[in-house]
């Protein structure tokens, strides 16, 4: 029979597309094998003591290669510690990098994801450069820095997805073509079955269903959360069953729900492809319930699953292992021969072994050098006859006998040697080397808590407020309202949201009328869900926008605190500057009514939000200056406005957008010579009252407003004041031992203030209990003017 040329073409193009398909499948199998080998070898490295802890993605390989096929440049992953296969398949991490992180290699050239600061499988792709500028995120695959707390990846996934929606619908944002391509980016959010028990999961899925944002939730369902099985985790033992009421129907909002099996490569590819495409086009969120996942090596290196999984379950897991089933499927469909697959498996072993070996050599080389140099310094001492009792020889021998020495071992040896020698000349080179290594270590482990870029807000020295001669005097809330109006017209990246922020413009009218002016994509309402409002802010900020996310009253910060402390505060540090989340949390507090509207949990913030700036303006003009400074850089910040300041009259500055208050620079708001009173926020008004009374008694008070608690008085201005007055009291509304004690510690210990004291320093604080309701409840719960007067009079008599 004769074959026409067009049939020929058709056949060859069919052959081509079959070859392409076959190659893709084989490549996916190769990835699954490499990832499996990585898990097996990774566990060995921990069990033989070369790494401290390991958690791996074995059992989830096939599901993840299938999902990664539909992860396009511009997309974001907000995942957890099981996603190594996803990272390898998207080429956002290599096997060698995986091992570098497992060894905790502090060199960012080896572990670029966390520079040894994070456990293994906590990946992070670069979002910002060293100048603090956002990279082109549209043409790269993006992984947000991983976290260990279960479900911590959920809240920010909402913001990562919401960004796509805003970029698609808000014309102001269209100019940012390096941040989005018409909002086509999907956020892939992975989570384990047991972690869906967390409130984070439910709050996020509900909000995604309400807002219709492009997020794909993947639940890797291996039936267990460490040892606790699904029946204790999930209603009806199935997350897709439990979520049925959220299923989107014609004309409703909601989410799409799909069920797939983790060993069914072809089935997953089909469902993921269509499902992800739909999310990309329609922005309807979806949940992929990936069932029948196995976990061949158990949860982590910390235990063995034989302790809690029944024998039948273990046997089932062996039989239904995804890699095994994919292999069978490839053979059944004659996509590769047994020999080809054997070859792939052998190569995978070799590749992983080589990657591991290289990572170890790179990790170990600088330590080895330190050991050699230390030993040679010790040899010099010995040659000079400094080792009278033979201690140095012993220290040297112990260090050299150590087969896997750490940086700590080197430092300990150097320090010990110094303890045994009393000749300053001989000690000097040892001490110098100790100090050099200590400095390098501090850089390795402690840098980048805040942005180190040129645009760091810490570098801002401030710009004075200007006032027109006949400028208006307005209510505090009107100062903010006029400022936010100017801000939204002057800064295209700003977006504000929270409970009651949109339609009514927040409960104190800071945004009143602005939604009507700037639109619902820039200023909008959220459900009552502080946790995910914070996550929403974090995700939007990671994608390069400048969110102002509201917590209606500071008392409710506790609800939103987890993502702030675990994610936003540590992000820049834990990625060693690769990622930033310049979120501004706007809140109000200190003094209104009752337990939950007049709290002042400042020490809670101070201990959980290192990595944030914490601004505590006494009035709204100061707040404006602080907002401007914070907006000039990439660090996250929280601004606590004074609840009782919205109706106080203030003169409106004429340079609302230019005026900047420097961070960490206190302001003396009343000069005096007898005592320094250090405080912030609304308490200052009570202190002013007390100072008037004391003035009449001939006691002159100097009142210092610290303006920010983080950073705190970076130039030691309070010490200068104390040097003049020799008496000091720290006053705030937090509990005893709270933020007032923090300020006390700074001035006494860090600034060395104790040397300038004539009398014992004091703190005056709120009571240990929560603020009681009503005017008298407030009076007895919080510092009051009479108490301040009495304490200061007592100090003057001492
Ligand atoms: C908030 C929090 N609680 C507890 C833990 C300890 N922990 C780590 S993983 C885990 C189980 C998670 O199971 P699952 O979500 O099913 O994920 P899997 O590890 O099975 O993939 C637990 C309880 C944690 N990391 N974070
Ligand atoms: Mg699980």
């Amino acid at each position: 029979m004769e074959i026409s040329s067009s049939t020929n073409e058709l056949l060859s193009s069919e052959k081509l597309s079959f070859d392409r398909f076959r190659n893709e499948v084989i490549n996916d199998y190769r990835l699954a094998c490499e990832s499996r080998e990585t898990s097996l070898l990774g566990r060995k490295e921990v069990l033989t003591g070369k790494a401290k802890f390991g958690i791996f993605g074995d059992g989830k390989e096939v599901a993840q290669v299938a999902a990664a096929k539909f992860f396009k440049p511009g997309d974001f992953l907000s995942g957890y510690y099981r996603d190594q296969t996803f990272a390898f398949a998207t080429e956002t991490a290599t096997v060698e990098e995986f091992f570098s992180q497992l060894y905790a290699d502090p060199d960012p050239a080896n572990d670029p994801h966390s520079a040894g600061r994070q456990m293994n499988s906590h990946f992070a792709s670069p979002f910002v450069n060293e100048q603090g500028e956002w990279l082109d995120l549209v043409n790269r695959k993006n992984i947000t820095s991983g976290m260990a707390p279960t479900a911590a990846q959920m809240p920010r996934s909402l913001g990562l997805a919401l960004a796509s929606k805003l970029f698609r619908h808000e014309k102001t944002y269209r100019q940012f073509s390096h941040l989005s391509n018409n909002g086509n980016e999907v956020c892939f959010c992975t989570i384990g079955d047991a972690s869906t028990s967390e409130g984070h999961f439910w709050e996020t899925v509900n909000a995604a269903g309400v807002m219709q944002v492009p997020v794909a939730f993947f639940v890797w369902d291996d039936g267990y959360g460490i040892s606790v099985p699904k029946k204790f985790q999930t209603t009806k033992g199935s997350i897709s069953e439990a979520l049925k009421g959220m299923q989107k129907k014609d004309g409703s909002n909601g989410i799409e729900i799909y069920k797939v099996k983790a060993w069914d490569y072809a089935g997953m590819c089909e469902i993921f492809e269509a499902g992800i495409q739909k999310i990309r086009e329609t922005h309807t969120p979806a949940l992929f319930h990936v069932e029948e996942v196995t976990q061949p090596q158990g949860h982590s290196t910390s235990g063995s699953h034989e302790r809690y999984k029944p024998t039948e379950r273990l046997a089932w897991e062996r039989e239904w292992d995804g890699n095994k089933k994919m292999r069978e499927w490839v053979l059944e469909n004659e996509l590769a021969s047994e020999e080809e697959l054997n070859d792939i498996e052998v190569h995978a072993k070799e590749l992983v072994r080589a990657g591991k070996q290289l990572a170890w050599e790179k990790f170990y080389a600088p330590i080895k050098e330190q050991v050699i140099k230390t030993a040679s310094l010790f040899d010099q001492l010995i040659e000079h006859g400094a080792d009278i009792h033979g201690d140095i020889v012993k220290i040297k021998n112990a260090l050299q006998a150590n087969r896997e020495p750490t940086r700590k071992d080197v430092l300990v040896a150097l320090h010990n040697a110094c303890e045994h020698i009393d000749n300053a000349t001989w000690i000097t080179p040892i001490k110098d080397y100790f100090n050099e290594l200590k400095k390098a270590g501090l850089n390795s482990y402690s840098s980048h808590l805040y942005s180190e870029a040129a645009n760091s807000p810490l570098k801002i020295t401030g710009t004075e407020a200007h006032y027109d001669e006949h400028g208006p005097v307005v209510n505090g809330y009107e100062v903010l309202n006029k400022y936010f109006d100017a801000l939204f017209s002057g800064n295209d990246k700003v977006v504000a949201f929270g409970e009651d922020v949109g339609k009514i413009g927040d409960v104190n009218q800071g945004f009143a009328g602005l939604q009507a002016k700037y639109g619902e994509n820039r200023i909008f309402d959220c459900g009552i869900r502080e946790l995910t409002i914070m996550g929403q802010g974090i995700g939007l900020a990671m994608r390069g926008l400048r969110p102002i996310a509201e917590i209606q009253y500071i008392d409710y910060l506790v609800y939103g605190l987890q993502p702030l402390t675990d994610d936003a505060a540590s992000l820049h540090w834990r990625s060693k500057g690769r990622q930033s989340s310049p979120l501004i949390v706007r809140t109000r507090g200190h003094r209104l009514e009752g337990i939950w509207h007049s709290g002042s949990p400042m020490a809670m913030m101070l201990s959980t939000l290192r990595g944030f700036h914490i601004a505590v303006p006494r009035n709204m003009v100061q707040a404006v200056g602080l907002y401007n400074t914070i907006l000039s850089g990439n660090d996250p910040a929280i601004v606590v406005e004074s609840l009782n300041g919205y109706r106080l009259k203030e003169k409106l500055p004429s340079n609302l957008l230019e005026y900047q208050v420097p961070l960490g620079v206190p302001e003396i708001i009343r000069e005096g010579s007898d005592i320094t009173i250090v405080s912030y926020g609304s308490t200052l008004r009570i202190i002013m009252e007390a100072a008037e009374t004391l003035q009449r008694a001939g006691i002159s008070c100097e009142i210092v407003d610290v303006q920010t608690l983080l950073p705190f008085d970076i130039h030691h201005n309070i010490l200068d004041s104390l040097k003049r007055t020799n008496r000091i009291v720290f006053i705030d509304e937090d509990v005893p031992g709270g933020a007032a004690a923090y300020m006390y510690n700074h001035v006494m210990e860090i600034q060395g203030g104790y040397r300038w004291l004539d009398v014992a320093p004091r703190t005056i604080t709120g009571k240990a209990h929560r603020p009681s309701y009503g005017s008298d409840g407030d009076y007895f719960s919080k510092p009051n003017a009479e108490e301040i007067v009495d304490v200061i009079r007592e100090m003057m008599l001492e």
Side-chain angles (χ1 to χ4, degrees):
M1 192 179 81
E2 225 171 86
I3 298 173
S4 74
S5 67
S6 66
T7 315
N8 240 338
E9 262 168 36
L10 199 66
L11 282 178
S12 70
S13 87
E14 262 179 24
K15 164 100 176 50
L16 204 69
S17 76
F18 175 77
D19 283 349
R20 202 177 301 134
F21 162 72
R22 197 193 90 95
N23 286 343
E24 251 188 58
V25 172
I26 299 304
N27 191 42
D28 284 349
Y29 183 67
R30 177 185 62 75
L31 281 163
C33 291
E34 286 171 10
S35 184
R36 175 64 59 88
E37 288 303 327
T38 303
S39 301
L40 298 174
L41 206 51
R43 186 175 171 87
K44 276 197 196 128
E45 291 302 276
V46 177
L47 299 185
T48 57
K50 276 160 106 181
K52 296 206 78 172
F53 173 79
I55 193 148
F56 305 104
D58 47 312
K60 296 168 173 88
E61 296 92 344
V62 175
Q64 290 186 18
V65 288
K69 293 169 88 68
F70 310 105
F71 189 77
K72 293 196 173 163
D75 286 346
F76 284 78
L77 173 70
S78 182
Y80 77 117
Y81 50 76
R82 297 281 181 216
D83 294 337
Q84 71 195 48
T85 314
F86 199 98
F88 297 154
T90 53
E91 296 180 353
T92 41
T94 65
V95 168
E96 190 191 317
E97 287 168 1
F98 178 95
F99 281 98
S100 294
Q101 194 177 44
L102 187 74
Y103 300 136
D105 190 327
D107 186 343
N110 302 335
D111 167 19
H113 306 279
S114 68
R117 293 173 180 192
Q118 287 237 68
M119 283 176 175
N120 75 298
S121 291
H122 290 74
F123 306 105
S125 62
F127 292 0
V128 288
N129 64 19
E130 282 180 5
Q131 287 79 47
E133 297 156 339
W134 254 254
L135 303 170
D136 174 351
L137 299 186
V138 170
N139 293 304
R140 60 169 76 218
K141 295 181 176 178
N142 305 294
I143 296 199
T144 54
S145 168
M147 287 175 283
T150 48
Q153 69 276 28
M154 299 300 295
R156 69 168 174 219
S157 72
L158 197 65
L160 292 164
L162 176 62
S164 291
K165 183 174 174 175
L166 299 182
F167 282 124
R168 185 174 286 179
H169 296 292
E170 174 55 45
K171 58 182 184 315
T172 318
Y173 300 144
R174 298 247 167 90
Q175 55 187 304
F176 306 121
S177 56
H178 63 304
L179 299 177
S180 174
N181 172 18
N182 192 34
N184 288 337
E185 307 79 24
V186 174
C187 173
F188 286 46
C189 177
T190 64
I191 185 165
D193 54 315
S195 299
T196 65
S197 307
E198 297 277 13
H200 290 47
F201 175 83
W202 293 91
E203 196 174 308
T204 306
V205 174
N206 175 58
V210 169
M211 292 200 293
Q212 297 292 284
V213 293
V215 56
F217 301 112
F218 292 85
V219 180
W220 310 134
D221 184 353
D222 57 20
Y224 287 85
I226 311 185
S227 66
V228 182
K230 254 193 312 194
K231 67 175 175 186
F232 296 125
Q233 304 278 3
T234 313
T235 298
K236 300 183 183 177
S238 162
I239 197 62
S240 47
E241 283 297 307
L243 281 169
K244 271 194 170 154
M246 294 212 195
Q247 171 71 52
K248 186 177 168 98
K249 302 214 172 85
D250 282 347
S252 82
N253 59 18
I255 65 169
E256 296 293 349
I257 299 171
Y258 304 94
K259 277 211 268 192
V260 293
K261 307 282 187 211
W263 43 263
D264 178 10
Y265 170 77
M268 284 189 293
C269 287
E270 201 182 318
I271 300 274
F272 291 163
E273 179 169 30
I276 300 291
Q277 186 59 20
K278 186 164 177 190
I279 299 172
R280 212 178 286 289
E281 281 166 13
T282 65
H283 281 188
T284 305
L287 179 130
F288 299 93
H289 183 189
V290 183
E291 296 184 288
E292 300 185 18
V293 182
T294 66
Q295 205 179 64
Q297 298 192 110
H299 177 77
S300 72
T301 52
S302 297
S304 101
H305 58 162
E306 285 82 8
R307 274 199 302 153
Y308 50 81
K309 283 184 188 162
T311 326
E312 310 80 68
R313 167 78 194 187
L314 289 166
W316 178 87
E317 288 201 12
R318 279 191 294 278
E319 179 55 28
W320 291 89
D321 180 292
N323 285 19
K324 177 170 179 279
K325 288 286 161 208
M326 183 172 180
R327 189 181 209 280
E328 288 167 12
W329 178 82
V330 170
L331 290 173
E332 260 166 40
N333 289 281
E334 297 178 2
L335 297 170
S337 67
E338 185 97 39
E339 292 71 47
E340 274 178 282
L341 296 186
N342 288 344
D343 255 10
I344 287 172
E345 288 152 18
V346 169
H347 271 118
K349 270 197 176 55
E350 287 168 2
L351 180 128
V352 171
R353 222 177 285 136
K356 181 218 84 162
Q357 192 55 31
L358 205 55
W360 176 255
E361 281 161 18
K362 287 184 182 175
F363 168 70
Y364 192 51
I367 303 179
K368 206 154 122 191
E369 241 174 63
Q370 291 179 13
V371 171
I372 291 169
K373 171 140 188 208
T374 303
S376 89
L377 287 173
F378 289 165
D379 282 339
Q380 285 168 28
L381 281 181
I382 297 162
E383 274 167 32
H384 284 107
D387 191 19
I388 300 164
H389 304 293
D391 300 305
I392 307 297
V393 169
K394 272 191 216 139
I395 296 169
K396 182 189 135 190
N397 290 346
L399 184 64
Q400 286 182 321
N402 190 338
R403 290 182 52 180
E404 272 145 24
T406 59
R407 288 173 170 78
K408 173 187 160 189
D409 294 328
V410 176
L411 282 165
V412 169
L414 288 164
H415 200 271
N416 273 348
C418 292
E419 294 294 317
H420 285 98
I421 293 164
D422 50 16
N423 178 315
T425 321
W426 289 338
I427 290 181
T428 304
I430 309 277
K431 272 213 168 129
D432 285 351
Y433 192 45
F434 177 87
N435 288 334
E436 179 191 324
L437 294 184
K438 194 170 146 191
K439 196 168 155 207
L442 286 174
N443 176 50
S444 288
Y445 299 103
S446 300
S447 69
H448 292 83
L449 183 56
Y450 292 91
S451 163
E452 299 185 357
N455 71 347
S456 161
L458 294 171
K459 295 186 176 145
I460 287 191
T461 51
T463 303
E464 299 272 312
H466 296 160
Y467 297 96
D468 293 339
E469 202 181 330
H470 302 295
V473 173
V474 297
N475 288 309
Y477 77 87
E478 290 168 306
V479 172
L480 286 174
N481 188 242
K482 291 195 180 344
Y483 168 65
F484 287 136
D485 192 355
L487 181 65
F488 272 77
S489 69
N491 186 336
D492 287 345
K493 286 192 169 171
V494 180
V495 46
F497 49 85
E499 295 153 17
D500 306 292
V501 168
K503 198 170 173 65
I504 66 165
D506 89 50
V507 287
N508 294 92
Q509 301 177 59
F511 285 104
L514 300 186
Q515 184 184 60
K517 190 165 174 184
Y518 296 100
E520 292 182 10
N521 292 319
R522 295 197 69 198
I523 297 162
F524 52 91
D525 286 319
C526 296
I528 305 176
R529 48 178 181 80
E530 288 78 9
L531 176 79
T532 49
I533 290 174
M534 295 298 99
Q536 199 170 294
I538 293 168
L540 287 170
M542 281 177 149
R543 289 197 62 180
L545 293 175
R546 294 304 309 242
I548 299 176
E550 225 191 81
I551 296 281
Q552 201 163 74
Y553 297 101
I554 197 176
D555 310 76
Y556 307 129
L557 183 64
V558 185
Y559 276 62
L561 193 58
Q562 187 277 330
L564 298 182
T565 180
D566 289 326
D567 201 353
S570 75
L571 180 73
H572 193 258
W573 172 83
R574 74 180 195 267
S575 64
K576 205 173 185 187
R578 263 196 158 188
Q579 299 187 356
S580 283
S581 178
L583 161 71
I584 295 181
V585 179
R586 177 184 182 223
T587 189
R588 49 187 74 83
H590 301 315
R591 219 174 252 251
L592 190 67
E593 280 303 340
I595 303 180
W596 290 287
H597 294 87
S598 49
S600 190
M602 308 311 293
M604 173 184 88
M605 289 158 58
L606 285 167
S607 64
T608 54
L609 297 181
R610 301 300 167 119
F612 269 66
H613 301 299
I614 302 179
V616 282
R618 65 182 179 274
N619 60 37
M620 303 312 157
V621 170
Q622 292 309 100
V624 166
L626 288 161
Y627 277 118
N628 280 331
T629 306
I630 291 159
L631 280 162
S632 69
N634 289 344
D635 294 326
I638 182 161
V639 180
V640 184
E641 296 168 11
S642 294
L643 251 175
N644 59 10
Y646 292 113
R647 300 224 164 246
L648 296 180
K649 302 289 180 215
E650 296 185 54
K651 207 165 177 198
L652 186 72
S654 56
N655 59 341
L656 277 173
L657 285 188
E658 291 76 40
Y659 163 48
Q660 288 181 321
V661 172
L663 305 181
V665 181
E667 189 180 332
I668 294 174
I669 57 169
R670 180 185 175 112
E671 289 189 356
S673 52
D674 292 325
I675 184 161
T676 301
I677 306 176
V678 182
S679 187
Y680 57 88
S682 61
T683 317
L684 288 166
R685 286 186 268 284
I686 287 153
I687 295 170
M688 280 294 208
E689 233 182 282
E692 286 297 318
T693 308
L694 287 162
Q695 188 66 49
R696 286 193 290 276
I699 299 168
S700 162
C701 300
E702 178 140 305
I703 304 177
V704 183
D705 174 7
V706 302
Q707 308 210 83
T708 60
L709 287 169
L710 280 179
F712 186 83
D713 187 14
I714 52 177
H715 304 308
H716 296 192
N717 295 351
I718 299 173
L719 183 69
D720 291 340
S721 171
L722 176 60
K723 283 181 185 172
R724 291 191 297 271
T725 62
N726 308 109
R727 295 181 190 85
I728 193 162
V729 58
F730 302 87
I731 307 179
D732 77 352
E733 304 184 16
D734 199 354
V735 291
Y742 160 86
M743 298 193 290
Y744 178 109
N745 167 260
H746 253 273
V747 177
M748 289 305 130
E749 184 180 342
I750 298 170
Q751 303 187 3
Y754 67 93
R755 280 172 289 175
W756 301 90
L757 293 171
D758 281 351
V759 302
R762 311 279 209 279
T763 60
I764 302 175
T765 68
K767 296 286 185 293
H769 55 75
R770 306 291 282 268
S772 204
Y773 176 60
S775 298
D776 287 343
D778 175 82
Y779 185 83
F780 284 98
S781 303
K782 299 273 188 160
N784 57 62
E786 288 66 36
E787 184 185 3
I788 295 168
V789 167
D790 288 350
V791 170
I792 291 176
R793 275 177 170 281
E794 188 187 289
M795 289 173 78
M796 294 307 295
L797 293 175
E798 250 178 52

